[in-house]
């Protein structure tokens, strides 16, 4: 007849709750039949003073300290390991450390199983090694491939259909090249998402000369859906520019019209149901800043609203760099009014409070545009404050920009983003690098 098993409410090994009649733990496989029955209660030993006054209990063999060898020698010390002992079931403790004979899977004293398979040297990863999954077909061209297994297709929810690995969000880090232009955007080290956006492209003017376009937008974090606002603005502005320039519209006028188009795109977000449901009196409508440039063979145009900036850095570093935009911000207003110098204004906690932006809550739209005719080759750096916070003055931006920026714009944009991340990366970082070609011989500054 099977011996009666002790009634346990939880597994002694993993503490998983048990049901009546369980012989093994359903979670860890612990053999519940090996758990010894609880011992009968023993009466408490009463310590009484003997007739000899020793204070020892009758019938208890207390260890006796050896007699000192001399008056200067202390008594010998007894270590815990010198004393024999038993467990709660009355078994010798030394037996608990002995391995049971071959064929006995469970220690009769501890209940620990010895028939478990050996632990593997390596544990399989969640994402399988693509080298051992030859049966997975290679996704067709244009299909997004999993960053983990490099073999599976990513579904519309952002998970790999092969290994189930969640993919990083596309906007966390973006890089793009278009002809001689390049742009990089990164979420930064402190933000949970990237609220910046950019758009770059090239177009041919009516006379066949090329024109390069770069737009950078920074979502206003205190507003609703800032990431949607920056994306809508960058797309609308670039599409407007790339359509107007081939028709012969002057680049400066085209830039003004592009900012107006971007503003309308952001304003339209405030009326969408998703925003209407979220909108509350203490929230603002979707909003963002914008800065852009159009570069042709002999003309450089910039346009902006907000505090995103454009810098000019000549290839010949002996010539001075320059900032091409003026912020729509509290600090810039203080400096313009002569109430503070630039260092004092930008050190104030209100410095980055913007006074101009794109969005339905904006006071009024005032696109700023400016045209320049550089007399030498260089590059235009178009960026959000996530970069210029770490290279605010034009000489600082020039120092951070690699010397070969005109020849390697993508590498230079990567370096500038790295400069911001190394500085702390407190904000999203976006930068576009647009080379300005050397003007025709004999051309001078305007």
């Amino acid at each position: 007849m099977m011996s009666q098993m002790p009634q346990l409410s939880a597994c002694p090994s993993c503490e998983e709750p048990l049901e009546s009649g369980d012989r093994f733990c359903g979670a860890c496989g612990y053999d519940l039949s090996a758990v010894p029955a609880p011992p009968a209660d023993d009466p408490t030993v009463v310590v009484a003073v003997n007739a000899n006054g020793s204070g020892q209990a009758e019938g208890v063999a207390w260890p006796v300290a050896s007699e000192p060898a001399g008056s200067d020698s202390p008594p010998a010390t007894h270590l815990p390991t010198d004393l024999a002992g038993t467990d709660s079931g009355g078994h010798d403790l030394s037996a608990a450390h002995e391995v049971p004979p071959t064929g006995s899977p469970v220690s009769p004293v501890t209940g620990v199983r010895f028939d478990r398979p050996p632990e593997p040297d390596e544990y399989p990863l969640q994402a399988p090694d693509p080298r051992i999954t030859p049966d997975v077909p290679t996704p067709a061209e244009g299909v997004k491939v999993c960053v983990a297994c490099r073999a599976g297709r990513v579904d519309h929810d952002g998970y790999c259909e092969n290994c189930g690995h969640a993919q990083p969000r596309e906007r966390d880090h973006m890089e793009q090249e278009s002809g001689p232009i390049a742009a990089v955007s990164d979420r930064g080290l402190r933000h949970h998402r990237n609220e910046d956006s950019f758009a770059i492209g090239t177009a041919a003017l009516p006379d066949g000369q090329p024109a390069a376009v770069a737009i950078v937008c920074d979502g206003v974090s205190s507003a609703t859906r800032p990431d949607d606002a920056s994306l809508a603005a960058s797309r609308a502005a670039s599409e407007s520019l790339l359509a107007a320039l081939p028709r012969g519209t002057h680049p400066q006028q085209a830039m003004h019209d592009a900012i107006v188009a971007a503003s309308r795109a952001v304003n339209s977000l405030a009326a969408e149901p998703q925003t209407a449901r979220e909108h509350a009196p203490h929230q603002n409508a979707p909003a963002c800043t914008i800065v852009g440039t159009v570069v042709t063979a002999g003309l450089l145009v910039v346009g902006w609203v907000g505090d995103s900036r454009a810098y000019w850095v000549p290839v010949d570093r002996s010539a001075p760099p320059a900032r091409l935009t003026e912020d729509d911000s509290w600090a810039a207003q203080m400096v313009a009014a002569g109430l503070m110098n630039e260092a004092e204004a930008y050190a104030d906690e209100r410095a980055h409070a913007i006074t101009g932006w794109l969005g339905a809550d904006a006071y009024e739209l005032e696109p700023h545009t400016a045209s320049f005719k550089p007399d030498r080759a260089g590059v235009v750096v178009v960026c959000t404050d996530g970069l210029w916070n770490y290279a605010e003055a034009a000489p600082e931006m020039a120092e951070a920009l690699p010397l070969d920026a005109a020849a390697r714009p993508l590498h230079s944009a990567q370096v500038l983003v790295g400069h911001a991340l190394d500085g702390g990366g407190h904000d999203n970082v976006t930068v576009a690098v647009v080379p300005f070609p050397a003007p025709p011989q004999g051309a001078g500054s305007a």
Side-chain angles (χ1 to χ4, degrees):
M1 184 175 67
M2 185 174 60
S3 60
Q4 184 178 2
M5 293 174 54
Q7 296 299 314
L8 301 174
S9 61
C11 174
S13 175
C14 68
E15 300 185 357
E16 180 74 12
L18 301 174
E19 296 182 3
S20 177
D22 284 348
R23 298 187 60 190
F24 295 91
C25 174
C28 68
Y30 190 90
D31 188 350
L32 303 175
S33 65
V35 179
D41 290 339
D42 294 326
T44 304
V45 177
V46 179
V47 178
V49 178
N50 292 336
N52 58 11
S54 64
Q56 295 181 350
E58 296 289 349
V60 179
W62 295 99
V64 180
S66 60
E67 293 296 329
S71 60
D72 296 332
S73 300
T77 302
H78 287 275
L79 301 175
T81 53
D82 296 335
L83 305 178
T86 59
D87 63 13
S88 60
H91 303 287
D92 189 345
L93 286 177
S94 61
H97 303 284
E98 296 177 0
V99 178
T102 303
S104 176
V106 181
S107 167
V109 176
T110 64
V112 177
R113 298 185 64 90
F114 289 91
D115 61 342
R116 294 176 179 172
E119 294 290 336
D121 294 333
E122 296 182 1
Y123 290 89
L125 300 176
Q126 179 184 9
D129 189 334
R131 293 170 295 182
I132 59 175
T133 56
D135 55 325
V136 179
T138 302
E141 184 178 355
V143 175
K144 187 175 181 182
V145 178
C146 173
V147 299
C149 70
R150 297 291 182 183
R153 185 178 72 87
V154 178
D155 63 20
H156 65 279
D157 291 326
Y159 291 86
C160 176
E161 294 181 345
N162 174 40
C163 68
H165 194 95
Q167 306 299 297
R169 287 175 292 190
E170 183 179 359
R171 290 182 65 174
D172 281 357
H173 185 86
M174 301 178 291
E175 299 185 0
Q176 184 182 348
E177 283 184 294
S178 179
I181 327 164
V184 176
S185 182
D186 192 270
R187 185 184 67 183
L189 305 180
R190 304 296 180 89
H191 278 228
H192 71 285
R193 64 181 176 185
N194 190 357
E195 297 170 356
D196 289 355
S197 185
F198 68 81
I200 58 176
T202 57
L205 300 179
D207 60 1
Q209 293 190 19
V213 171
I215 299 291
V216 168
C217 296
D218 183 355
V220 177
S221 296
S222 60
T224 306
R225 298 169 60 195
D227 51 335
D228 290 343
S230 63
L231 181 62
S234 61
R235 286 179 174 174
S238 64
E239 290 172 359
S240 176
L241 282 168
L242 295 176
L245 292 172
R247 294 198 301 262
T249 305
H250 189 279
Q252 189 166 357
Q253 181 63 47
M255 178 62 72
H256 179 277
D257 296 343
I259 295 176
V260 172
S263 177
R264 290 172 180 162
V266 178
N267 290 348
S268 66
L269 297 177
E272 291 185 0
Q274 182 177 353
T275 302
R277 289 194 301 268
E278 298 174 351
H279 205 60
H282 64 279
Q283 290 181 314
N284 298 322
C288 69
T289 68
I290 186 171
V291 63
T293 187
V294 175
V295 172
T296 67
L299 185 67
L300 189 167
V301 173
V302 293
W304 74 97
V305 173
D307 63 348
S308 293
R309 295 180 174 180
Y311 291 82
W312 161 256
V313 180
V315 170
D316 178 7
R317 296 300 175 88
S318 63
R323 196 175 92 198
L324 305 179
T325 58
E326 292 291 338
D327 299 342
D328 288 321
S329 69
W330 180 90
Q333 284 191 345
M334 293 299 103
V335 174
L339 300 177
M340 291 183 176
N341 61 39
E342 191 165 338
E344 293 172 339
Y346 283 98
D348 193 284
E349 61 181 7
R350 297 165 290 182
H352 290 276
I354 57 175
T355 58
W357 61 89
L358 303 183
D361 288 344
Y363 300 119
E364 59 180 318
L365 178 63
E366 294 185 3
H368 310 292
T369 61
S371 295
F372 304 89
K373 290 185 178 180
D375 60 354
R376 65 197 68 210
V379 295
V380 184
V381 176
V382 185
C383 64
T384 61
D385 61 346
L387 171 59
W388 68 251
N389 277 331
Y390 302 97
E392 184 172 338
E396 294 174 329
M397 185 65 71
E399 184 177 356
L401 186 70
L403 295 174
D404 59 352
R408 302 175 64 194
L410 178 59
H411 171 260
S412 300
Q414 294 167 337
V415 169
L416 290 177
V417 169
H419 177 79
L421 298 181
D422 290 343
H426 286 73
D427 199 356
N428 306 144
V429 188
T430 302
V431 58
V433 177
V434 187
F436 181 85
Q441 186 174 1
S445 60

